[in-house]
Amino acid sequence: MQADGVISHYAIGGAVGATFYLEPAATLDVDVFVLLTHEHGGLVSLSPIYEYLKARGGIEDREHIVLGDWPVQFLVPGSELEREAVAASIPVDLEGVMTWVMLPEHLVAIALCTGRGKDYIRVLQFIKEKAVDETMLRTILQKHGLLSKWEQFERKYLGEGI
């Protein structure tokens, strides 16, 4: 889609993005954050992505496009943190295909923002497995105004700082 100009960049996030750094976890779909080639103010349409993929065998299923056996949800970054996460993503060879994956520090920050139980479990996994650079994580959290949320998380789940 990048080469054909449908999107300008993308990165895998969520639970599947985390599996590049942690043990795999059960998930229902793949979250792919996309920067659109032509973004305009107001409502954002993902129809160019859906149409592109349906023409290549993708099957539309509510908010997902099913590619092979995987439901894929395309998300336009809704915050500066998510836009930064896509921009800072790294290329990873996935079975011979280069794909972009968010850095673990961005995955942790986004999970902290989302704040669901499963997100906190993932953050704990990253911390327990020492899969994040603590200095980089704190820099990202500070930049995006998340230090107080992080401190609450530390008190509740870690009992002390990392």
Side-chain angles (χ1 to χ4, degrees):
M1 288 191 298
Q2 275 182 290
D4 290 337
V6 178
I7 61 172
S8 62
H9 193 51
Y10 73 94
I12 297 173
V16 173
T19 65
F20 286 89
Y21 309 100
L22 304 171
E23 290 294 319
T27 186
L28 299 175
D29 62 6
V30 179
D31 294 332
V32 178
F33 290 77
V34 294
L35 300 178
L36 302 173
T37 304
H38 305 290
E39 287 191 45
H40 306 288
L43 289 177
V44 175
S45 174
L46 296 175
S47 60
I49 293 171
Y50 279 58
E51 296 307 317
Y52 181 89
L53 293 171
K54 286 191 310 188
R56 288 157 180 78
I59 300 167
E60 187 172 353
D61 183 15
R62 295 179 306 260
E63 71 273 14
H64 298 98
I65 289 285
V66 180
L67 302 172
D69 294 331
W70 281 97
V72 179
Q73 184 173 24
F74 291 92
L75 304 160
V76 175
S79 68
E80 185 56 38
L81 170 60
E82 291 174 352
R83 282 186 287 282
E84 178 182 295
V86 174
S89 63
I90 58 170
V92 175
D93 185 320
L94 180 62
E95 298 178 6
V97 177
M98 291 307 291
T99 189
W100 294 89
V101 178
M102 290 181 178
L103 294 170
E105 295 79 13
H106 283 114
L107 290 167
V108 167
I110 291 168
L112 189 65
C113 277
T114 306
R116 300 169 298 187
K118 65 182 182 178
D119 298 307
Y120 291 147
I121 290 169
R122 188 173 311 125
V123 171
L124 286 169
Q125 285 179 290
F126 274 105
I127 301 306
K128 180 182 174 191
E129 296 184 27
K130 299 184 184 327
V132 293
D133 177 293
E134 296 172 21
T135 303
M136 184 175 178
L137 176 60
R138 284 206 177 269
T139 300
I140 290 168
L141 295 172
Q142 183 173 3
K143 178 178 180 182
H144 296 284
L146 297 170
L147 281 179
S148 63
K149 201 166 194 176
W150 176 253
E151 290 163 359
Q152 290 173 334
F153 175 85
E154 284 181 316
R155 282 191 301 276
K156 186 171 183 176
Y157 296 103
L158 301 176
E160 58 185 67
I162 56 172

